[in-house]
């Protein structure tokens, strides 16, 4: 049985503001702001925070004229702050009007997101969809055809349900819904191509909020097209629930070689840190061996042998040090993101786990000798004792990084 992800599904490469999505390029992490886009300073500040946390594409809501007019100023703010990240405009219902009435917005955005379920209704649907695609062609922008089961094209779904009921071997209702989502995305993409938009300017997403549905729909999409695919569990939820559900769903699909860009749609705590969704996406890709973003810290979960909190505090401090120092480390020490660290709590697995890491420390458990052996590149290098173990270990990590990665610039 293979222990590696399946070969990547072959998709077309889409250039989104200089970021390559699909075509075998590294899977891209993206996120979305939750500010009022008309709040120029607030939105620019959050985009900067998301970009610096590692979001390689950021989507913003463009829902009304004030928001559309703010987009060029937001872009100017980002330039002044020295942040270059592609910005995607999220359009629903009135995107055709906003883009036509605000050419500066249409030009400033790097991609347009169209939801075929609410781009327009009845006779207006094709006309309004066509208008947005024509704007994309005019300004040289790619689009994402973003199907969402919460706003699925009801005419299409009803037609497929009727056809299914007359079939000699009808599918269950959920399978029909999956088919409707796939057809909505593919038919919209094909219509955009008919209008003159290149297939290599289209990304498709099919967002659902349950794990098995995400797996089923994206497996179908991958089997029936070469469009670049964006993965995400919509309305994933808050806290651990949202992270677990998104990780389970996307992890299975990514393991099958499907997916070119991902987002964790996490509900933040009131006043919470929006960048959590970026870190979660990075950690999924890194733990699956698909990308490397920053050093990994293996840490003991704790048990009755580890009644001291010293190893917990050290693991926390080391993680914080990595997050704080990574922007500088990445400039000074190319390759540092591949570093592996271990902070262990007792003698049972501590020495062995530490030997597997580039640098590891095995702190004393309950009743053990008050000493902490440090292992570097698989060999015991020293033993730390006393009240300054944490500070000394962090100095050792800094020194190791400088020695190992300092000459790679």
């Amino acid at each position: 049985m293979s222990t590696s992800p399946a070969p990547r599904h072959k998709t077309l490469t889409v250039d989104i503001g200089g970021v390559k999505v699909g075509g075998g390029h590294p899977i891209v992490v993206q996120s979305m702001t939750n500010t009022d886009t008309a709040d120029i300073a607030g939105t620019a500040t959050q985009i900067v925070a998301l970009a610096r946390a590692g979001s390689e594409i950021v989507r913003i809501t463009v829902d009304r004229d004030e928001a559309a007019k703010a987009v060029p100023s937001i872009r100017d703010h980002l330039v002044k702050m020295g942040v270059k990240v592609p910005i995607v405009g999220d359009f629903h219902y009135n995107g055709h009007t906003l883009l036509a009435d605000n050419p500066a917005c249409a030009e400033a955005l790097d991609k347009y997101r169209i939801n075929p379920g609410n781009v327009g209704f009845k006779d207006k649907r094709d006309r309004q969809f066509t208008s947005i695609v024509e704007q994309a062609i005019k300004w040289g922008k790619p689009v994402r055809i973003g199907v969402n089961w919460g706003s699925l094209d009801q005419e299409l779904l009803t037609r497929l349900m009727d056809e299914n009921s007359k079939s000699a071997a009808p599918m269950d209702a959920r399978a029909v819904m999956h088919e409707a989502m796939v057809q909505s995305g593919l038919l919209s993409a094909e219509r955009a191509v008919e209008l003159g938009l290149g297939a290599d300017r289209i990304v498709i997403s099919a967002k659902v909020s349950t794990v098995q549905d995400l797996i089923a729909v994206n497996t179908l999409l991958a089997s029936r097209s070469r469009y670049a695919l964006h993965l995400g569990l919509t309305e994933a939820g808050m806290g651990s629930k949202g992270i677990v559900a998104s990780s389970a769903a996307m992890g299975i699909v990514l393991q099958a070689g499907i997916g070119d860009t991902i987002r964790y749609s996490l509900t933040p705590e009131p006043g919470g840190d929006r960048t959590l969704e970026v870190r979660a996406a990075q950690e999924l890709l890194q733990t699956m061996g698909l990308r490397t973003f920053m050093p990994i810290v293996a840490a003991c979960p704790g048990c009755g042998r580890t009644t001291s909190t010293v190893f917990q505090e050290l693991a926390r401090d080391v993680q914080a040090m990595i997050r704080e120092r990574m922007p500088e480390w990445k400039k000074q020490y190319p390759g540092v993101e591949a570093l592996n660290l271990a902070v262990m709590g007792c003698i049972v697995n501590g020495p062995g786990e530490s030997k597997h890491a580039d640098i590891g420390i095995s702190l004393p458990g309950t009743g053990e000798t008050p000493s902490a052996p440090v292992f570097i590149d698989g060999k015991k290098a020293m033993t730390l004792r006393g009240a300054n173990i944490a500070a000394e270990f962090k100095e050792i990590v800094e020194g190791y990084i400088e020695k190992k990665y300092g000459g790679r610039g």
Side-chain angles (χ1 to χ4, degrees):
M1 181 177 178
S2 174
T3 57
S4 300
R8 294 277 298 283
H9 172 63
K10 292 182 179 179
T11 59
L12 299 170
T13 299
V14 182
D15 188 317
I16 303 172
V19 173
K20 301 292 195 298
V21 171
H25 291 279
I27 297 165
V28 172
V29 171
Q30 59 180 282
S31 59
M32 185 175 184
T33 60
N34 62 353
T35 57
D36 178 355
T37 304
D39 175 3
I40 295 168
T43 300
T45 297
Q46 190 173 88
I47 291 171
V48 168
L50 291 166
R52 288 179 176 165
S55 184
E56 294 155 306
I57 297 174
V58 178
R59 183 159 45 113
I60 62 175
T61 296
V62 186
D63 58 346
R64 63 194 196 280
D65 200 56
E66 293 85 354
K69 287 184 175 0
V71 171
S73 296
I74 291 169
R75 173 64 72 192
D76 290 343
H77 271 57
L78 297 178
V79 171
K80 289 177 183 176
M81 289 185 275
V83 173
K84 180 175 174 54
V85 63
I87 304 300
V88 178
D90 193 60
F91 295 99
H92 297 274
Y93 306 109
N94 60 351
H96 59 292
T97 300
L98 293 173
L99 287 168
D101 292 348
N102 295 278
C105 168
E107 183 179 17
L109 291 168
D110 294 288
K111 185 176 74 171
Y112 311 152
R113 186 275 177 114
I114 312 172
N115 183 338
N118 60 30
V119 68
F121 302 98
K122 298 188 180 297
D123 60 320
K124 294 181 180 179
R125 176 181 291 112
D126 187 63
R127 185 167 67 251
Q128 294 175 183
F129 179 84
T130 297
S131 176
I132 297 176
V133 172
E134 287 175 343
Q135 288 290 327
I137 295 169
K138 175 181 178 180
W139 296 106
K141 309 296 183 179
V143 302
R144 168 153 73 95
I145 307 295
V147 183
N148 191 302
W149 76 342
S151 50
L152 185 57
D153 182 341
Q154 291 303 299
E155 288 185 29
L156 173 62
L157 180 60
T158 299
R159 176 171 61 79
L160 291 179
M161 286 288 188
D162 289 344
E163 291 174 359
N164 184 64
S165 67
K166 299 171 184 176
S167 171
M171 302 183 292
D172 63 43
R174 210 160 195 86
V176 178
M177 186 272 289
H178 296 162
E179 178 64 19
M181 293 196 69
V182 171
Q183 286 199 27
S184 180
L186 294 181
L187 289 171
S188 297
E190 288 163 12
R191 176 59 179 149
V193 172
E194 287 175 5
L195 292 167
L197 187 68
D200 62 348
R201 307 292 283 168
I202 297 171
V203 178
I204 294 181
S205 67
K207 296 287 190 77
V208 294
S209 58
T210 65
V211 171
Q212 297 301 333
D213 289 312
L214 184 141
I215 296 166
V217 171
N218 283 280
T219 300
L220 282 173
L221 269 174
S223 70
R224 287 160 60 174
S225 82
R226 291 189 61 214
Y227 295 110
L229 298 180
H230 169 68
L231 304 181
L233 201 65
T234 190
E235 289 92 39
M238 183 178 285
S240 60
K241 184 269 177 186
I243 293 173
V244 170
S246 295
S247 299
M250 289 191 285
I252 291 170
V253 177
L254 291 168
Q255 184 70 13
I258 298 169
D260 301 293
T261 174
I262 68 172
R263 183 205 168 195
Y264 274 65
S265 297
L266 302 179
T267 303
E269 297 284 349
D273 185 357
R274 190 68 168 177
T275 64
L276 174 60
E277 66 177 52
V278 179
R279 296 199 303 274
Q282 289 181 325
E283 287 166 6
L284 173 68
L285 295 177
Q286 183 151 341
T287 54
M288 291 188 68
L290 294 167
R291 287 193 65 182
T292 304
F293 295 96
M294 64 176 58
I296 288 178
V297 180
C300 168
C303 67
R305 298 184 184 90
T306 56
T307 53
S308 168
T309 61
V310 173
F311 82 94
Q312 297 167 323
E313 293 161 359
L314 180 56
R316 178 199 62 200
D317 291 349
V318 170
Q319 290 273 25
M321 179 181 74
I322 289 171
R323 284 194 295 270
E324 180 182 338
R325 301 280 284 126
M326 271 306 290
E328 183 180 341
W329 282 350
K330 287 179 74 172
K331 294 176 184 176
Q332 287 186 293
Y333 307 121
V336 68
E337 59 272 11
L339 180 71
N340 287 306
L341 303 172
V343 178
M344 305 303 294
C346 79
I347 200 171
V348 173
N349 292 316
E353 193 76 45
S354 297
K355 289 177 183 177
H356 290 307
D358 294 309
I359 311 174
I361 185 169
S362 181
L363 292 160
T366 305
E368 292 178 16
T369 303
S371 60
V374 174
F375 297 83
I376 298 178
D377 293 329
K379 297 179 181 179
K380 184 177 177 180
M382 63 200 72
T383 299
L384 303 181
R385 295 182 176 84
N388 295 318
I389 288 178
E392 291 175 15
F393 182 68
K394 287 190 283 187
E395 287 180 8
I396 292 168
V397 171
E398 289 268 10
Y400 180 90
I401 290 170
E402 183 176 355
K403 181 178 179 181
K404 182 171 183 177
Y405 301 101
R408 295 191 181 186

